[in-house]
Amino acid sequence: MLAAPNPPSTRNAESRTSIKRLTREHFALYRGYLDGVSVEQLHATYGDATTDVRATRRLIGLLRDTLSSAARRTRDVEATHLLRLRPGSIPERIAESVTPTLEAYREAIDPHGFHSEAELLELYRAEYSQENFPLDRRASRNARLRRRQADALARMESSLVQAPQPSHPVSSWLEPAIADRLQRAHIYTLADLLGFIERRGHRWHTGVERVGPKAAQRITDWLSLHTDSLRHTLSKRAVTPRRRLPGNDPALARPRVTGIVPLEALEVPHELDGSAGINRADQTPSDAGFLTDLQAIDAWLTSVQRSVHTVRAYRREAERLLLWAIHTKEKALSSLDSRDCAEYIETFLTDPQPAAQWVGGGKIERTHPDWRPFIGGLSERSRETARAILHAMCEWLVNQRYLASNPFVRCAPVTTGPRIDVAGRSLSHSQWRAIVQASTRVLYSGQELRDFLALSLAYSTGLRRAELAGASTGQLTQATSLEPGGDRWHLVIIGTRRSDRRIPIPDSVMALLIASLQARGLSGNPAKCASDTPLLANSRTGRALTPDGIGQIFRRLLLGPKPGMAHALLSADAKSRNPSTHWIRHTHSHHALERGADCREIQARLGHAHLSTTRLYLRAAAVGANQSR
């Protein structure tokens, strides 16, 4: 593609008198032009999709001048003249002569053989004079001229065409504006660009100011055209959106290295792998069959029969401890003692240093080279969670006869406040009514209806955002007329530790759900929809929203798109706390308790493991009531 990577562009073409580097794409474009292909078709094939046909027309004129000048410098007079001839000045062929062959003439005028051969020849010569012969000579001349023109272009291509090399500056190949933005990101050569793309993956452009996905796609397309000369083929991870790659795709695998990297890419030096750890139960292979700390951690994670989120949290804490032991203490994990563990919990987790090695961005994938174990220091609650998880892991390893003792036994718990902070994180009745009013429409768009359904469903059920994202029509059941509640619908939430929760859905929310299904082109009866049909779907793809997508909806509804709407209902202190999905969950609980609902009923609906957690709402409500007096 002769798009942004190939100067000139619509902005700089008229100020240029020649092209710095001629590529095979330039010659393909000009060859098509000489062959009579329309400029519109050439623009569609070779042009920049972000410009109009005038850019390609200017590029053709610039190519004509550049090629002619180059031919003149090499004293190729023939090429200088031929390459400036415009399409049509050398017709591809003259219309075929209307003169028939002698045999065809005989069939036409003397099918019965009345004339002799001499008479027939005389008639033929009299009717078809020699005036057609110059036409034949002109056609032959034009054909030779076109061949000479094609040969001249081929000569120029063989002598002038250049292929991009890794050491070439980006400014030699990419349009000036793009090259300037890349250079500000410290990308100076094509080799730098290839390395940057490989490190950051498909969304590499987010690391370059003012380079969007369309410009990035044009650049990677151009790089892919020159894999031979650049001696590099962009990897699958670099050209494919992450959402299209399954988690086990080989393209996402990282080579094993001895750095601060995820467990799956960690290469542990033999002297630190734990095979000879000081705290090992013995120096012989464990009964469980794992020999090193990394193998022991993998076995522990495999033994955890919990939710995906729980396993992820366990892996995160084990990974952090192992990396800290290797790179900071220069010890095997199985050589850590109680003083090391106390230092890790009380000091290192509070402020992981050096930050350049340990702290990274919040949404960087594990496969990305910029991944780091932390996004900042941990709060007291998070440090206590880490201590509890690591204590449980080491206890399991002791039971498996891998460790001689649990080094976290003497590590004191971190003093924390309530596990769930509900104070000030819910809405009053007046605030809730105002937000509902701001979200209500006489006529809804598909997205507005989906968002209002999400708000109503979350308030009426108290579901977590992951539960809202995973809710589908297959989880809806309808009570029979013989059951309490008549024909009321219920949503069944599959439990992990506790039994399943069966939560009633108000008729008004079911009406919104039915309208939303119909707006998506589905049956208004949830029982007739496919069981995996999401209740809250992406308005464009129809797939289930992610938990992050649910969170974005509620932040938008609670803060409001414009000042003066729901945004004005929250105090400055409340707005600074970044309202989230849990605010709706807290509001559901507070309002239900104020209406006289039993605390155990709320516990069952919310899925709390302990009643003491639910009672936090009672204490928070009492504090709020006292403050309002």
Side-chain angles (χ1 to χ4, degrees):
M1 259 182 99
L2 293 178
N6 292 302
S9 67
T10 36
R11 287 174 294 179
N12 62 15
E14 295 175 350
S15 63
R16 299 281 300 273
T17 58
S18 64
I19 298 177
K20 195 179 298 183
R21 296 183 186 273
L22 289 168
T23 69
R24 297 198 183 279
E25 289 73 33
H26 285 122
F27 282 95
L29 168 66
Y30 202 67
R31 185 175 293 108
Y33 167 73
L34 293 178
D35 287 343
V37 179
S38 68
V39 178
E40 290 73 18
Q41 182 60 44
L42 291 172
H43 177 72
T45 305
Y46 299 100
D48 184 345
T50 63
T51 63
D52 59 28
V53 70
R54 291 174 295 179
T56 299
R57 187 174 288 114
R58 284 193 290 269
L59 179 56
I60 290 172
L62 186 58
L63 281 170
R64 183 189 306 116
D65 296 339
T66 300
L67 291 173
S68 297
S69 299
R72 190 179 302 111
R73 286 197 303 272
T74 59
R75 299 185 179 182
D76 190 338
V77 178
E78 181 183 48
T80 303
H81 169 68
L82 289 173
L83 295 179
R84 294 195 67 86
L85 294 178
R86 298 176 183 275
S89 60
I90 308 176
E92 185 174 358
R93 61 186 178 88
I94 301 298
E96 293 184 4
S97 175
V98 296
T99 306
T101 64
L102 185 61
E103 292 300 323
Y105 184 72
R106 185 198 305 275
E107 291 295 328
I109 69 168
D110 190 23
H112 303 294
F114 178 79
H115 296 287
S116 66
E117 187 74 18
E119 292 172 334
L120 185 66
L121 186 58
E122 186 178 352
L123 290 173
Y124 177 78
R125 289 175 175 172
E127 186 169 349
Y128 297 101
S129 65
Q130 297 296 314
E131 64 182 4
N132 284 327
F133 292 176
L135 293 177
D136 295 337
R137 288 195 298 271
R138 189 158 60 247
S140 299
R141 185 205 66 186
N142 287 340
R144 288 195 303 271
L145 198 57
R146 288 187 63 79
R147 286 196 297 270
R148 289 166 57 198
Q149 189 182 47
D151 291 342
L153 187 62
R155 288 199 306 275
M156 301 302 296
E157 182 173 7
S158 64
S159 62
L160 297 178
V161 72
Q162 296 188 46
Q165 299 296 320
S167 60
H168 287 171
V170 291
S171 57
S172 296
W173 290 99
L174 309 187
E175 66 178 64
I178 294 295
D180 182 59
R181 292 164 194 168
L182 292 175
Q183 289 168 347
R184 287 201 296 269
H186 307 292
I187 301 171
Y188 302 106
T189 66
L190 294 180
D192 294 340
L193 178 59
L194 289 166
F196 188 83
I197 293 173
E198 291 291 2
R199 287 194 304 274
R200 300 187 67 93
H202 179 258
R203 289 181 56 77
W204 64 269
H205 59 275
T206 58
V208 182
E209 185 180 359
R210 296 180 62 200
V211 172
K214 290 184 178 179
Q217 185 63 54
R218 295 198 306 272
I219 292 172
T220 54
D221 286 346
W222 180 80
L223 291 171
S224 298
L225 288 174
H226 299 284
T227 55
D228 292 339
S229 62
L230 292 172
R231 299 184 294 280
H232 183 93
T233 300
L234 290 172
S235 66
K236 184 178 180 181
R237 176 176 170 271
V239 297
T240 307
R242 174 63 182 86
R243 65 181 179 275
R244 297 182 187 174
L245 296 175
N248 58 352
D249 194 294
L252 298 178
R254 292 181 60 173
R256 288 190 172 272
V257 295
T258 58
I260 299 178
V261 295
L263 287 180
E264 59 272 17
L266 180 61
E267 182 72 34
V268 183
H270 176 69
E271 61 273 16
L272 300 176
D273 67 1
S275 55
I278 298 173
N279 191 30
R280 287 290 298 271
D282 49 49
Q283 297 302 313
T284 60
S286 69
D287 295 340
F290 35 85
L291 305 177
T292 66
D293 295 342
L294 192 55
Q295 292 173 355
I297 290 174
D298 288 340
W300 174 64
L301 293 174
T302 302
S303 72
V304 177
Q305 300 297 320
R306 302 287 174 84
S307 70
V308 174
H309 302 290
T310 301
V311 173
R312 185 183 299 122
Y314 284 15
R315 179 190 62 190
R316 178 180 62 239
E317 299 307 334
E319 184 174 64
R320 288 171 171 175
L321 179 64
L322 178 63
L323 293 172
W324 177 80
I326 294 172
H327 294 282
T328 300
K329 303 301 291 184
E330 297 184 351
K331 288 184 176 182
L333 184 146
S334 54
S335 293
L336 296 176
D337 55 32
S338 58
R339 289 190 300 273
D340 296 327
C341 294
E343 177 188 347
Y344 176 74
I345 296 296
E346 296 171 8
T347 304
F348 180 73
L349 291 185
T350 303
D351 183 21
Q353 290 295 331
Q357 293 180 356
W358 293 99
V359 181
K363 291 188 177 182
I364 298 178
E365 294 185 12
R366 295 173 64 81
T367 58
H368 199 287
D370 290 343
W371 176 89
R372 297 292 183 271
F374 296 89
I375 59 173
L378 302 189
S379 65
E380 291 180 346
R381 170 57 58 189
S382 297
R383 287 192 291 119
E384 171 56 20
T385 299
R387 186 204 64 81
I389 290 174
L390 295 173
H391 180 282
M393 178 187 75
C394 291
E395 194 66 29
W396 186 86
L397 293 176
V398 169
N399 294 335
Q400 297 297 315
R401 298 184 59 195
Y402 182 79
L403 294 181
S405 63
N406 185 345
F408 281 90
V409 167
R410 297 183 181 179
C411 189
V414 180
T415 303
T416 62
R419 185 171 183 83
I420 300 177
D421 179 14
V422 299
R425 295 180 181 272
S426 63
L427 305 172
S428 67
H429 287 280
S430 60
Q431 287 176 324
W432 174 250
R433 285 193 297 270
I435 287 175
V436 169
Q437 183 178 0
S439 304
T440 303
R441 303 285 186 273
V442 177
L443 292 175
Y444 292 93
S445 68
Q447 180 175 326
E448 289 172 338
L449 180 58
R450 188 271 318 274
D451 292 354
F452 189 54
L453 169 62
L455 186 71
S456 303
L457 187 62
Y459 176 75
S460 63
T461 60
L463 293 178
R464 303 174 177 90
R465 70 175 192 170
E467 294 169 340
L468 288 167
S472 65
T473 52
Q475 296 170 246
L476 288 171
T477 61
Q478 191 172 22
T480 64
S481 57
L482 300 178
E483 294 180 288
D487 294 332
R488 171 170 289 186
W489 287 86
H490 292 76
L491 183 67
V492 179
I493 302 298
I494 308 300
T496 51
R497 305 181 199 177
R498 298 175 59 84
S499 59
D500 298 344
R501 291 142 57 203
R502 195 165 182 263
I503 304 173
I505 307 297
D507 292 341
S508 59
V509 178
M510 278 305 301
L512 287 172
L513 175 58
I514 290 170
S516 177
L517 291 173
Q518 291 173 336
R520 289 156 54 188
L522 303 172
S523 171
N525 184 353
K528 294 183 179 180
C529 297
S531 61
D532 60 349
T533 303
L535 301 189
L536 302 173
N538 184 294
S539 56
R540 182 172 54 85
T541 65
R543 293 195 292 265
L545 290 172
T546 63
D548 283 345
I550 297 288
Q552 290 173 9
I553 289 176
F554 289 123
R555 278 191 291 274
R556 184 170 64 249
L557 294 179
L558 292 179
L559 292 176
K562 298 178 181 178
M565 295 180 62
H567 188 277
L569 298 172
L570 302 180
S571 65
D573 178 61
K575 286 183 283 189
S576 68
R577 298 185 188 183
N578 190 18
S580 65
T581 312
H582 253 61
W583 282 46
I584 309 298
R585 182 172 165 88
H586 298 332
T587 301
H588 160 85
S589 305
H590 281 146
H591 291 187
L593 290 169
E594 289 172 4
R595 288 193 295 266
D598 183 74
C599 195
R600 292 189 180 276
E601 177 188 344
I602 301 300
Q603 176 196 4
R605 186 178 299 174
L606 297 181
H608 287 158
H610 304 286
L611 185 60
S612 59
T613 303
T614 312
R615 285 177 176 155
L616 292 173
Y617 291 105
L618 284 174
R619 289 199 290 272
V623 171
N626 291 332
Q627 291 177 343
S628 63
R629 290 173 184 172

